Each structure stands twice: as structure tokens, then as C-alpha cells.
């Protein structure tokens, strides 16, 4: 664990399945991959990650499967060249992993109601109180740039999934151009969305380089530090 | 307007709206379907038309029909879909009809794969359909540039009354970057669209066509088109240099997101003592031939390296520009594989090593 991670409380989960949903391009995959990394490093339970993104062709969490495998995280992804396809493949292992409830399973779901629809076919596998259903919010994305916009995307996702959210992840950023102010601005909107929906903010996520200088007192919430894994070919791993 | 984070496909779609596109026809294909997903929400907000057609052939004919009315029309697709549109694009060029076409290129030939590629260069730049015509082709390397070039493309389409293509590799469509849209959109004045079929109640009917059975008239039409392309060669050359300076020993020529990988390569090699510059064509037709020749023939340049996500489709245009004054080398990967910075670095090190060991034997022998 890097020192910046020690400065914040890290997210902790009692429940066995953590489902990550959100608006298209809100940062679900990067959050999922890093959550898997951090939870695996805590070492309490075996961690696995299921890539349920059936609408995005690039920059999917399955691209981080190797990095995660080194940390002991098992990736549930379609086999072989099917992993590179744009086909709506849901492997059966995911359903049984939801039912088994051993260890910690993170599910990275595709964006918007379109991506969340995949959950409706898995709905029966979830038993009550066994899962967290978390919404990633990025204020700097066009359709979730306001409280109203976020509420409307939340409604669409809940309807498509047939499941009710249990929390919010505040993930406002502008990639390399993220400032502390942008994160706080986003958190402000997340807090209002939380107040309007009655949902808790489970954690705030930010890049490790930002977390290193961020004052924990400004947030008073658990923080997931992100080491970006889904990089563009010209970007260097930090 | 605040900067927001957008996927290339979304940003290009929004840019089309800002540039006044009111007619969008499409057929979905990975990796550009987000353009349609975005516009199905946005087009109704500006009173425009969104229509998913039964095929790309139908799309091409729909943009042709809509363009006849003088409205700004837009379509987007990826490689195999663009192939299906070629007949319509040829008809549009022949009929002198403007439109903007986005090609988010995936690996080919055939159905290929869904990962990024630049292997539609020939099709885009040399004229993918039949007849004496060209497309004006613009290749962005960042999302912000994709926004700016898309808006420009609508202007150029009207200025030249010709289809304009935005050629983006899959990465341009799929990656996310911060972008900013201008608060208000303005462009240089254009001549009135007196050619548009807008209703002939108070004038003689107009006929917009590419069918000219009389060979003299058909030849005249081709000469009109040719003159427009010659004008574009004078007025629409666009390119960018990166760390091009007198000490450069190698000049990389690369476009689109591939050029950004080359920038990383250049930055990484600098502290190791390798002086490398990048010439990035932005307009692929018209090609920035004269500018490239000037940079490639600087005194210290020993060789030119073309880097592409294809088997080397741009090489012949670089060779034509350099005209034998320097050796032109090529490195590329294809089929959806993106060259890594390490691979490109190895190529440059080999070139510079080879050169310094052997000097310049070709010249000395003579």
C-alpha cells in the first residue's frame, strides 16, 4: 500500500457482491479494477472481478486481468478471442459466483440503462442483503453534469437492472486535468444526489497522485485511490 | 463553457450539432455506435432528423437526398460500413453535394475486428468509389482536435460542395479526454446555396445529378471537380510539427493517435541523445507534400520513418513528397494491434545506429 492510501480510510464491504453501475463513461471500470486491487491487498477475503460490460468495445476492465492476477484477483471474462469481441456474452461462471457468496465479487457493469440491462437476467441470483449496488457519478460527464441529470440516469439504471441502488461513488474527474476543486465540486453534487435519494456516499475516488496532496479533512469519507490501469497506448504507467 | 470529459464519438457528434448538422442517418457498427447513441438524444433537441436506416447503402442515399435540400448532413460508420457507402459518396461528389462522413476505422479487410486501425487510408484518400473524384480527408489525433476538425469539415463541405471525411482510428472514437466547445460557433461566410432544391414555386426547377450521358458534359463536370481539388491543394493544407528542429536525424511521419505514440517515443529518446522530429499530416487529402519535403530534407535528416497502424498505406505519399531525397522507412502493426512506444523506439535506434556506422554510403559512392 502506498503512503497516500494510508492517509485515508479505505472502503470496506461486509456484503459479498459489489455491483458497480453508472452513466456511460463515468469511470466504472477503472473504479472496479482499483477496488479489486485495494480489497485484494487488504487480504481479508479472496477477490474476483466479473466484467459484465457488453456495450463498450475498448478500455474494459478485462484489459487489467493480468495486472490483477498478479495480486491474486480472479477475472471472470469470456475466454480467448471472445474477450475481444463486441458480442453480448455473459459467461455462466458469473451467475454461480453471485450465488456462491464466497469471498468478494466485484461486478463491472456497462454504462447507462443499456449496460445495466444485463443485470435483469441475473437478478434472481442476488439474495437480499448480500450485495451492494453502487452508482458511479462523474459531474464532468455530459448527461450527469447536474443533480437532475444524475437522478434521471439513476432512475433509468434501476429500472433496467430491476435492482435498487445501495450507495453512491463520487468519481468526478477530468483525467489528467483533474484539480482538487473539480473533485470537491463533484462531491458537492454527489452529496445532493445522496440527500435526494437517501443513499449514502460509499467512497470518493481519485488518482493516487492527487490523493497524495489532498487534505483528508476536506472529505471525511473513505477514499479509493486510483492507479490508472486502462491506459491509452502513449500513456505511461505511473 | 466548462470543460467536460467526453468519448471521441460523443464529442464528434456534439461538434456536428454545434456546426449546424440537422440531418443524421446511420447504421450501427462498432467502434462508433456511440455517435448514434448520442445523436438519438441530441438531434430532437435541435429539431433535427435522426434516422437509423436499414443498411449503409440506404444511409448513403439518404444523406445524398437530404444534402440536395442544402441542409447540413452527417453520417458515421466504421470500415465495412464505409465500404458500403462508396457508391453514394461517388454520386455525391459527382453531383457536387456536401456532406460530412466520419469513419472510425477498425481492423480489416473484410469484417476484420473491432480494434483500432488506420488501414482505410487508401480508401479515404485515393477515392474509394468510382470516377474522377476525391474526398477531403481530415485526421484528428486528440478529442479536442476531432471536435475542431468536425466543425471545420462542415464548412469545407459547403465551401467545396464535396463530401468531407473525418478519418479517425478506433482509438479516436473510443477514448475519453477533456474537451471544450466554443460558446458560439462562427465560420467564414459561404456563398448562398443557390443550387439547393428548396421548392421551385418562383423559379425554374433545379436538377441535381451525376448522370451526364453526353461525354463532353461529363468531362466538363470532372474538370469542375478537378479545379476544386486543385484549389483545396492551395487552401486546405494542414499539418503539425512536433520537436522538428535542425538537430533531427530522423523525421517520423505519422497521423492520428499513432502520432501521439510517436510523441511519447520522441520525448523518451531525447534524454538518450536521439534527436527525432515528428511531421503529422492533418489533411490527408490534400496531402501536405511541400511542407513534408521541406522538413524531410533538412541538412541533418538521415532518414524518414513512416509509422502507421496499417501495412504502410501512407508510405507512397511520403515517398512522393520526399522524392528520393532521403530513404523512407516504414514500421507498422495492423489488424487492431497498436504499435507500442518500445517497438517504435527500437526502429529509430536501429536506423540511427545503422546510419552512424555506415555514414552515408549512397552519396560517397557517387
Amino acid at each position: 500500500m502506498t503512503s497516500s492510501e494510508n492517509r485515508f480510510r479505505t472502503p470496506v464491504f461486509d456484503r459479498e457482491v459489489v455491483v458497480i453501475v453508472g452513466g456511460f463513461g463515468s469511470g466504472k471500470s477503472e473504479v472496479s479494477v482499483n477496488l479489486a486491487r485495494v480489497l485484494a491487498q487488504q487480504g481479508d477475503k479472496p477477490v474476483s472481478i466479473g466484467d459484465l460490460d457488453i456495450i463498450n468495445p475498448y478500455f474494459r476492465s478485462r484489459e487489467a486481468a493480468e495486472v490483477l492476477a498478479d495480486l491474486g484477483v480472479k477475472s471472470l471474462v469470456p475466454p480467448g478471442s471472445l474477450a475481444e469481441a463486441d458480442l453480448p456474452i455473459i459467461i455462466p461462471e458469473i451467475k454461480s459466483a453471485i450465488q456462491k457468496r464466497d469471498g468478494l465479487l466485484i461486478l463491472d457493469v456497462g454504462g447507462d440503462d443499456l449496460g445495466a440491462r444485463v443485470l435483469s437476467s441475473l437478478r434472481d441470483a442476488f439474495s437480499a442483503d448480500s450485495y451492494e449496488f453502487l452508482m458511479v457519478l462523474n459531474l464532468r460527464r455530459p448527461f450527469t453534469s447536474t443533480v437532475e441529470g444524475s437522478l434521471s440516469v439513476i432512475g433509468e439504471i434501476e429500472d433496467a437492472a430491476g435492482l435498487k441502488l445501495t450507495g453512491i461513488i463520487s468519481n468526478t474527474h477530468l483525467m489528467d486535468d483533474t484539480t482538487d476543486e473539480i473533485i470537491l465540486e463533484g462531491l458537492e453534487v454527489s452529496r445532493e444526489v445522496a440527500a435526494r435519494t437517501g443513499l449514502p456516499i460509499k467512497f470518493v475516488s481519485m488518482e493516487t497522485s492527487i490523493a497524495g496532496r489532498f487534505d483528508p479533512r476536506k472529505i471525511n469519507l473513505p477514499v479509493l485511490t486510483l492507479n490508472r490501469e486502462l491506459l491509452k497506448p502513449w500513456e505511461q504507467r505511473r | 463553457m466548462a470543460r467536460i470529459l467526453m468519448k471521441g464519438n460523443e464529442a464528434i457528434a456534439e461538434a456536428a450539432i454545434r456546426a449546424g448538422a440537422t440531418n443524421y442517418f446511420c447504421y450501427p457498427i462498432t467502434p462508433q455506435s456511440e455517435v448514434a447513441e448520442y445523436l438519438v438524444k441530441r438531434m430532437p433537441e435541435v429539431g433535427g432528423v435522426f434516422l437509423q436506416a436499414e443498411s449503409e447503402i440506404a444511409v448513403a442515399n439518404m444523406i445524398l437526398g437530404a444534402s440536395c435540400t442544402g441542409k447540413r448532413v452527417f453520417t458515421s460508420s466504421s470500415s465495412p460500413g464505409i465500404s458500403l457507402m462508396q457508391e453514394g459518396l461517388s454520386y455525391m461528389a459527382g453531383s457536387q453535394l456536401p456532406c460530412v462522413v466520419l469513419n472510425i476505422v477498425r481492423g480489416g479487410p473484410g469484417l476484420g475486428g473491432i480494434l483500432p486501425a488506420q488501414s482505410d487510408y487508401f480508401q479515404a484518400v485515393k477515392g474509394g468509389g468510382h470516377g474522377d473524384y476525391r474526398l477531403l480527408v481530415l485526421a484528428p489525433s486528440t478529442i479536442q482536435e476531432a471536435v475542431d476538425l468536425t466543425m471545420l469539415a462542415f464548412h469545407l463541405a459547403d465551401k467545396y460542395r464535396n463530401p468531407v471525411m473525418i478519418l479517425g482510428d478506433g482509438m479516436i472514437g473510443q477514448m475519453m479526454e477533456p474537451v471544450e466547445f466554443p460558446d458560439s460557433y462562427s465560420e467564414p461566410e459561404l456563398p448562398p446555396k443557390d443550387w439547393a432544391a428548396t421548392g421551385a414555386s418562383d423559379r425554374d426547377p433545379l436538377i441535381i445529378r451525376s448522370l451526364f450521358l453526353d461525354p463532353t458534359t461529363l468531362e466538363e463536370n470532372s474538370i469542375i471537380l478537378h479545379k476544386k481539388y486543385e484549389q483545396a491543394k492551395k487552401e486546405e493544407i494542414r499539418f503539425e510539427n512536433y520537436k522538428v528542429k535542425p538537430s533531427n536525424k530522423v523525421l517520423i511521419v505519422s497521423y492520428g493517435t499513432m502520432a501521439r505514440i510517436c510523441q511519447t517515443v520522441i520525448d523518451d529518446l531525447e534524454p538518450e541523445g536521439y534527436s527525432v522530429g515528428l511531421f503529422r499530416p492533418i489533411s490527408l487529402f490534400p496531402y501536405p507534400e511541400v511542407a513534408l519535403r521541406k522538413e524531410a530534407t533538412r541538412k541533418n535528416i538521415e532518414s524518414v520513418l513512416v509509422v502507421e497502424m496499417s501495412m504502410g498505406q501512407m508510405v507512397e505519399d511520403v515517398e512522393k513528397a520526399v522524392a528520393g531525397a532521403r530513404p523512407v522507412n516504414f514500421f507498422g502493426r495492423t489488424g487492431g494491434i497498436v504499435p507500442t512506444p518500445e517497438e517504435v523506439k527500437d526502429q529509430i535506434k536501429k536506423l540511427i545506429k545503422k546510419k552512424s556506422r555506415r555514414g552515408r554510403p549512397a552519396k560517397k559512392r557517387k
Side-chain angles (χ1 to χ4, degrees):
Chain A
M1 219 180 273
T2 62
S3 59
S4 66
E5 282 172 349
N6 285 331
R7 301 174 59 235
F8 297 95
R9 278 182 287 141
T10 48
V12 185
F13 297 97
D14 305 328
R15 300 181 173 186
E16 291 91 351
V17 186
V18 181
V19 187
I20 309 282
V21 293
F24 189 65
S26 55
K28 296 170 299 301
S29 297
E30 203 67 79
V31 165
S32 301
V33 167
N34 279 278
L35 192 57
R37 174 181 60 80
V38 167
L39 294 175
Q41 282 166 342
Q42 286 175 0
D44 300 338
K45 296 175 193 169
V47 178
S48 49
I49 181 168
D51 187 345
L52 276 180
D53 191 341
I54 56 162
I55 59 169
N56 229 13
Y58 301 0
F59 303 110
R60 295 179 286 194
S61 57
R62 63 192 65 173
E63 291 175 27
E66 255 179 68
V67 176
L68 289 176
D70 291 343
L71 298 168
V73 177
K74 188 177 169 196
S75 288
L76 306 174
V77 295
S81 66
L82 286 177
E84 301 290 354
D86 54 346
L87 300 168
I89 300 167
I90 306 158
I91 55 170
E93 285 90 328
I94 288 187
K95 190 166 192 172
S96 57
I98 296 169
Q99 286 163 332
K100 255 192 241 157
R101 301 177 61 173
D102 55 351
L104 227 156
L105 172 67
I106 294 161
L107 291 179
D108 174 24
V109 182
D112 286 353
D113 48 336
L114 205 64
R117 202 184 296 164
V118 64
L119 290 170
S120 65
S121 68
L122 297 166
R123 194 165 41 193
D124 301 341
F126 291 98
S127 40
D129 300 332
S130 73
Y131 65 91
E132 295 281 0
F133 189 44
L134 306 180
M135 172 85 184
V136 177
L137 282 181
N138 181 355
L139 170 72
R140 291 295 181 131
R141 287 284 295 145
F143 295 108
T144 52
S145 62
T146 60
V147 175
E148 295 308 322
S150 301
L151 291 174
S152 122
V153 175
I154 285 174
E156 287 161 14
I157 288 177
E158 285 187 330
D159 287 351
L163 294 167
K164 287 285 171 201
L165 288 175
T166 63
I168 288 166
I169 299 167
S170 191
N171 185 46
T172 291
H173 70 96
L174 254 186
M175 288 197 156
D176 288 349
D177 300 349
T178 310
T179 61
D180 297 16
E181 290 69 39
I182 286 175
I183 291 174
L184 290 171
E185 220 176 83
L187 182 57
E188 212 43 56
V189 173
S190 295
R191 284 193 203 276
E192 210 174 322
V193 173
R196 296 271 294 270
T197 53
L199 294 167
I201 297 176
K202 285 285 177 179
F203 59 86
V204 181
S205 44
M206 64 181 80
E207 272 201 66
T208 308
S209 56
I210 296 173
R213 61 162 194 257
F214 211 96
D215 182 355
R217 287 167 302 182
K218 280 187 181 166
I219 285 190
N220 196 25
L221 280 166
V223 167
L224 175 71
T225 54
L226 305 172
N227 297 339
R228 282 187 52 213
E229 295 294 344
L230 309 174
L231 296 169
K232 294 159 192 141
W234 53 89
E235 290 175 330
Q236 322 263 10
R237 189 158 269 119
R238 289 174 197 159
Chain B
M1 189 188 152
R3 297 178 80 201
I4 48 173
L5 193 60
M6 285 185 108
K7 204 171 202 186
N9 285 330
E10 300 170 332
I12 291 168
E14 180 62 29
I17 295 278
R18 302 284 179 120
T22 50
N23 290 263
Y24 174 74
F25 306 97
C26 66
Y27 188 84
I29 182 171
T30 307
Q32 64 76 50
S33 296
E34 294 86 0
V35 179
E37 281 157 21
Y38 189 90
L39 287 177
V40 77
K41 293 180 192 153
R42 271 301 262 137
M43 265 303 174
E45 292 177 11
V46 296
V49 174
F50 173 100
L51 202 150
Q52 181 177 325
E54 68 272 30
S55 74
E56 289 87 346
I57 297 174
V59 167
N61 288 297
M62 286 174 182
I63 57 173
L64 188 157
S67 181
C68 290
T69 68
K71 300 286 186 197
R72 286 193 159 168
V73 300
F74 180 47
T75 189
S76 61
S77 189
S78 179
S79 311
I82 298 287
S83 291
L84 279 170
M85 292 182 190
Q86 293 303 327
E87 183 198 40
L89 292 176
S90 166
Y91 277 53
M92 289 187 84
S95 312
Q96 299 201 63
L97 288 170
C99 71
V100 174
V101 180
L102 169 69
N103 184 3
I104 295 294
V105 183
R106 55 190 255 175
L111 207 44
I114 63 167
L115 295 174
Q118 295 182 315
S119 42
D120 295 358
Y121 181 92
F122 283 148
Q123 185 194 56
V125 169
K126 309 290 176 183
H130 60 282
D132 278 316
Y133 83 97
R134 308 296 288 260
L135 302 176
L136 273 63
V137 184
L138 301 167
S141 76
T142 67
I143 306 300
Q144 186 66 55
E145 193 180 36
V147 165
D148 301 343
L149 291 180
T150 299
M151 296 173 87
L152 173 70
F154 281 96
H155 177 75
L156 296 182
D158 280 346
K159 178 178 172 185
Y160 290 93
R161 290 179 57 192
N162 199 76
V164 178
M165 179 174 279
I166 302 289
L167 191 69
D169 47 83
M171 204 64 76
I172 282 286
Q174 290 298 321
M175 68 183 181
M176 294 181 70
E177 282 181 338
V179 285
E180 194 165 9
F181 290 90
D183 285 323
S184 64
Y185 174 62
S186 65
E187 60 186 300
E189 205 175 324
L190 288 160
K193 293 185 171 179
D194 52 9
W195 49 267
T198 53
S201 55
D202 54 355
R203 57 159 168 77
D204 290 336
L206 293 167
I207 299 172
I208 298 169
R209 58 179 170 164
S210 64
L211 174 69
F212 303 100
L213 290 176
D214 166 32
T216 317
T217 320
L218 181 55
E219 187 187 45
E220 273 167 15
N221 192 57
S222 291
I223 290 169
I224 291 169
L225 303 189
H226 183 75
K227 280 183 181 156
K228 294 196 296 188
Y229 304 137
E230 290 304 308
Q231 183 192 346
K233 282 180 188 174
K234 289 192 191 88
E235 297 174 19
E236 312 304 340
I237 297 291
R238 289 175 171 84
F239 63 94
E240 191 180 73
N241 285 336
Y242 182 76
K243 295 194 176 170
V244 169
K245 48 193 172 190
S247 63
N248 290 161
K249 287 198 162 179
V250 172
L251 182 73
I252 298 179
V253 188
S254 190
Y255 70 97
T257 64
M258 190 63 239
R260 294 176 71 174
I261 298 172
C262 294
Q263 287 182 4
T264 299
V265 168
I266 291 169
D267 294 346
D268 286 0
L269 286 179
E270 218 170 18
E272 292 182 44
Y274 294 95
S275 177
V276 182
L278 167 73
F279 182 90
R280 179 170 70 89
I282 297 170
S283 58
L284 299 182
F285 181 84
Y287 199 76
E289 235 171 74
V290 178
L292 172 54
R293 183 174 167 81
K294 179 178 155 259
E295 306 303 356
T297 54
R298 281 166 178 268
K299 200 169 132 257
N300 286 322
I301 297 277
E302 293 173 354
S303 57
V304 174
L305 178 66
V306 185
V307 186
E308 291 177 72
M309 288 183 245
S310 82
M311 292 303 289
Q313 299 193 14
M314 189 174 65
V315 172
E316 61 187 49
D317 284 339
V318 176
E319 280 175 338
K320 187 169 164 242
V322 176
R326 294 290 185 282
V328 174
N329 302 276
F330 170 72
F331 179 72
R333 300 292 304 268
T334 193
I337 296 176
V338 180
T340 64
E342 294 309 318
E343 284 176 316
V344 181
K345 273 180 224 171
D346 287 349
Q347 295 297 315
I348 288 168
K349 285 181 177 174
K350 265 188 229 162
L351 279 177
I352 291 182
K353 203 166 139 199
K354 207 159 65 185
K355 280 290 160 189
S356 55
R357 199 171 60 231
R358 291 184 196 159
R360 286 190 194 171
K363 274 192 178 170
K364 278 177 191 165
R365 250 181 253 133
K366 285 171 193 172

